[in-house]
Amino acid sequence: MSQSDLPRPRRSRRVRTAAGLCVLLALVGYLVVRFESMGGGGAPHCTAADLAEDAPGGDSRRTYDMTPEQAANAATIAAVGVAKGLPDRAVTIALATAMQESALRNLNHGDRDSLGLFQQRPSQGWGTPEQIKDPVYSAGIFYDRLVQVKGYSRLPLTEAAQKVQLSGYPQAYAKHEPDATVLTAAFAGAGELTCGGPAPTDPGDAQKVRAELNRIFSKTGMHSSSQAGPGPTQERGGVKEPEVTVLEKQDGGEPAVRGSRAIAGWAVANARGMNIMRVSYGHRGWIAGQKKGRWQEKGGPGKSGDGDPHNAVPGEIRIFVKG
C-alpha cells in the first residue's frame, strides 16, 4: 500500500473544529453578558424585595417573583389600600387574598359566577361583572368590606380574609402571608420593586397614566398630578417622552410619603402594560431595559449615576412614557 493510499489524519480537522467552537461559545457568552448588563436579557419579570429585619446591615432580602401582569395587579391592590389610608396589615390581607383567589391575575372566569382578582361574585352583591373586572374597583370594595370586620387588624390573616370572602377553603389564605408581607413592603414601605426585560417599543399614553393615578389617589388630597404633555428630550435618539409629574403634599407627613412610594412602585409595575420608559422619585430613578430593572442613583448636582438625567425635587414623582 502506498503512502497516498493511507487514510489522512483527522487531527487537524478536529483541532480546527474545536477552535471554531470555542470562538463561537466565547462570542455567545460575550453577547449574553453584554445583553444582560444592559438590562434587556430574559423574559419580562418583576421581583419584590424586603429587607429582613434580622439581617446585619440589611444585606439579606426576602423576595417574591412575578410576571408583569401580576406585579401590575399587586401594585394596584396596594395603591388602593394606601390611598384609603389603611395600614400595612390591611394591604397584606388583601394581597394574600388575591394571591390565593387568582394568583394575582384578573380572571374572567371562576367558580360559578366568580370573577377578577378576588373572585368576587356579581350574584352576591359585589358589583357588575364590568366593575369586578376593574382592579381598582375590586380592590376598593374588598377593603370597604374588610374594614367592617371588627378588629380585623388583630385577627389571624386567614380569619380576617375569610370574614370578607366566605370561602370554602378558609385556611388557604395563611400560606400566602409571608409573600404578601414582602409585596406590602415593596409597594408601600421600605422594600423595593425591580422590573426587568426589554424597553417598550410602542408609544405610551401619558393621559391614561395620569387618569389611572387620579382615579386611585385624587380623593386623598396628598398628591396632585400635572397635565401630561411633552417632556424633556431623551438623550438617545432625541425622542420626546411625554411626562406625568405627581407632586407630594409637603406637609402631608408619613401618609404622603407612603403614597409617593406606592405611586412610584405602581408606575414601575405598570411600565410594560403602559409603555412607561422612566420613573423618577427623590434621588433615584428607574429606566426600562437597563440595569436589570433595578433603581439607580440619579445624576445631577452632587449626584452620580445614570438612573435619571434630571435633578431631584423632594416629593416629586416623574413618569415618562414612550413617545
Side-chain angles (χ1 to χ4, degrees), residues 84-108:
K84 286 179 172 289
L86 298 177
D88 284 356
R89 182 61 175 171
V91 175
T92 299
I93 293 169
L95 287 167
T97 301
M99 292 166 82
Q100 170 59 31
E101 296 290 354
S102 66
L104 295 173
R105 294 172 298 161
N106 196 13
L107 301 177
N108 59 6

Side-chain angles (χ1 to χ4, degrees), residues 184-240:
T184 300
F187 289 115
E192 187 168 274
L193 178 76
T194 62
C195 286
T201 57
D202 296 327
D205 185 344
Q207 295 287 4
K208 181 178 179 181
V209 173
R210 178 176 175 269
E212 280 298 291
L213 287 172
N214 281 338
R215 210 159 63 99
I216 298 171
F217 287 97
S218 62
K219 295 181 181 179
T220 68
M222 295 294 183
H223 299 83
S224 60
S225 61
S226 68
Q227 290 289 339
T233 302
Q234 189 180 13
E235 292 182 3
R236 292 175 298 174
V239 178
K240 295 282 187 178

